[in-house]
Amino acid sequence: MSKISVIKEFFEFVKERKKYFLAPIIIILLLLSLLVIFAQSSAVAPFIYTLF
C-alpha cells in the first residue's frame, strides 16, 4: 500500500464513521513529529526544546 492510499483510507474512515474528533488529534501528532524531526537536524534545536 502506498502512503497516499493509507491517508485516503483514513479520511474515508473518519468521514464514514463520523469520528471527526480524530482529525485534529492526528494533525497535532503530525505537527509535533515534524517539529521533533526538524529539531534533530537543525542548529535551532536548543530554541525549539525551550518550548517544552
Side-chain angles (χ1 to χ4, degrees):
M1 272 179 121
S2 70
K3 292 179 183 179
I4 294 176
S5 67
V6 172
I7 294 170
K8 182 180 175 186
E9 187 174 337
F10 171 73
F11 283 116
E12 287 175 4
F13 168 79
V14 168
K15 191 168 132 180
E16 181 178 325
R17 305 281 183 173
K18 308 282 192 259
K19 306 278 186 192
Y20 297 116
F21 67 92
L22 290 175
I25 295 170
I26 298 297
I27 291 170
I28 295 297
L29 287 174
L30 287 173
L31 289 174
L32 283 174
S33 64
L34 288 174
L35 181 65
V36 168
I37 290 170
F38 177 71
Q40 287 179 354
S41 62
S42 172
V44 191
F47 303 108
I48 292 176
Y49 287 129
T50 60
L51 295 175
F52 300 106

